[in-house]
């Protein structure tokens, strides 16, 4: 019998529709294992997401992001701005190798909780191996349909993910929905630059490049306030909070 990690037990309390028989056999809570193909949200069939969904691609990404986060300030999470209270609850959407999720957990302290959601099993396996712990847990779910109740998170992050989502407006609306009043969100996306030019020539890159104001406008349309965007080279950060 698989024992339920404490962070996942706390995650289940936050779900809108908790499973009767939660599948945690791989160390993360798998909410997509029994979802029929007909029920699923639109899928990214492009080559970039295919890479992140493979063992080799997830390993290469993990090494590249660790390097980028050490060297490039534009990649670094605005953890102080997120203002996660001690004992707070934070969500990382498209958590990949899980190190951003773990930094949210450190900010929330021993009584806090940080959850990462991703769709890629190899990425989740890496995240569980490297970062899962008493207050860090991972779930397999689709960012276009977050499994949580309304208003449960003090902070939400989503870094280098929205460009891969077939319906990014659904994900942004979901993020706004799960934020508590006063909760803060920080999103990072790559912008079209030289890399974007290269990707345009791929037969199916499956990557969307947002225009300068697209995400900031979407935040405001959802009623988020204090919306700020900052573009640094090929990276854009968008921040806001729920009133
Ligand atoms: C470039 S990686 C970024 C990972 C991490 N946020 C970081 O900054 O290192 C993009 C991640 O988004 C995940 N992803 C893509 N589409 C998703 C979806 N519909 N739902 C959940 N995760 C998704 C991928 O599997 C991948 O792990």
């Amino acid at each position: 019998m698989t024992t339920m990690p404490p962070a996942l037990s706390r995650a289940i309390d936050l779900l809108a529709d908790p499973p009767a028989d939660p599948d945690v056999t791989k160390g993360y809570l798998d909410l997509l294992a029994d979802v029929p193909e007909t029920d699923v949200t639109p899928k990214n069939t492009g080559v970039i997401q295919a890479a992140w969904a493979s063992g080799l691609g997830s390993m290469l990404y993990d090494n590249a992001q660790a390097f980028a986060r050490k060297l490039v300030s534009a990649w670094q999470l605005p953890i102080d701005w997120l203002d996660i209270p001690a004992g707070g609850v934070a969500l990382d959407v498209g958590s990949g190798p899980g190190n951003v999720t773990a930094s949210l957990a450190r900010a929330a302290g021993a009584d806090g909780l940080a959850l990462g959601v991703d769709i890629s099993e190899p990425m989740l396996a890496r995240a569980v191996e490297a970062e899962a712990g008493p207050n860090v847990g991972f779930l397999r779910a689709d960012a276009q349909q977050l499994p949580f109740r309304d208003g449960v998170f003090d902070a939400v992050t989503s870094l280098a993910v929205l460009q891969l989502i077939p319906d990014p407006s659904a994900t942004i609306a979901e993020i706004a929905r799960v934020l508590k009043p006063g909760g803060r969100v920080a999103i990072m996306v790559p912008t079209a630059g030289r890399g974007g030019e290269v990707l345009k020539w791929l037969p199916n890159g499956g990557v969307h490049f947002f225009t300068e104001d697209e995400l900031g406008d979407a935040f405001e349309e959802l009623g988020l306030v204090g919306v700020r965007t900052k573009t640094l080279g090929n990276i854009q950060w968008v921040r806001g909070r729920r009133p």
Side-chain angles (χ1 to χ4, degrees):
M1 201 184 81
T2 318
T3 48
M4 174 73 68
L8 297 185
S9 172
R10 291 174 69 189
I12 288 173
D13 292 341
L14 304 177
L15 296 179
D17 187 15
D21 187 14
D23 179 354
V24 293
T25 49
K26 295 174 188 148
Y28 52 85
L29 176 61
D30 194 343
L31 296 172
L32 296 179
D34 299 323
V35 176
E37 272 300 305
T38 46
D39 280 8
V40 291
T41 44
K43 285 268 173 297
N44 182 332
T45 57
V47 294
I48 303 293
Q49 177 55 25
W52 305 155
S54 72
L56 178 65
S58 59
M59 189 264 284
L60 292 173
Y61 176 79
D62 194 356
N63 288 306
Q65 65 78 29
F67 188 68
R69 287 198 163 100
K70 274 199 195 99
L71 294 184
V72 185
S73 58
W75 268 78
Q76 286 155 13
L77 181 69
I79 192 74
D80 293 338
W81 178 84
L82 284 168
D83 199 26
I84 302 171
V89 185
L91 173 67
D92 184 24
V93 176
S95 44
N99 48 331
V100 169
T101 323
S103 54
L104 298 176
R106 283 191 292 276
D111 294 334
L113 176 68
L115 299 175
V117 163
D118 207 284
I119 204 164
S120 157
E121 298 202 74
M123 283 289 194
L124 286 159
R126 297 189 75 81
V128 167
E129 170 76 26
E131 309 289 358
N135 65 346
V136 187
F138 296 93
L139 295 82
R140 184 168 167 246
D142 192 320
Q144 296 163 109
Q145 209 168 55
L146 293 174
F148 306 103
R149 289 187 274 113
D150 297 354
V152 289
F153 291 102
D154 295 287
V156 180
T157 54
S158 186
L159 276 57
V161 178
L162 277 189
Q163 77 282 357
L164 297 166
I165 304 272
D167 184 0
S169 59
T171 298
I172 304 168
E174 284 290 85
I175 288 173
R177 177 182 70 75
V178 301
L179 271 179
K180 286 181 187 171
R184 293 181 175 209
V185 50
I187 281 177
M188 183 264 259
V189 288
T191 59
R194 281 201 197 135
E197 288 304 313
V198 173
L199 285 172
K200 273 188 204 155
W201 294 100
L202 284 175
N204 180 8
V207 178
H208 174 77
F209 291 104
F210 296 93
T211 56
E212 184 66 22
D213 295 328
E214 199 173 345
L215 287 171
D217 287 349
F219 271 35
E220 287 181 351
E221 278 158 27
L222 287 162
L224 297 175
V225 296
V227 176
R228 303 279 184 278
T229 62
K230 185 154 75 170
T231 303
L232 303 148
N234 277 19
I235 299 283
Q236 185 182 53
W237 283 93
V238 187
R239 296 177 289 149
R241 67 192 149 75
R242 190 170 157 189

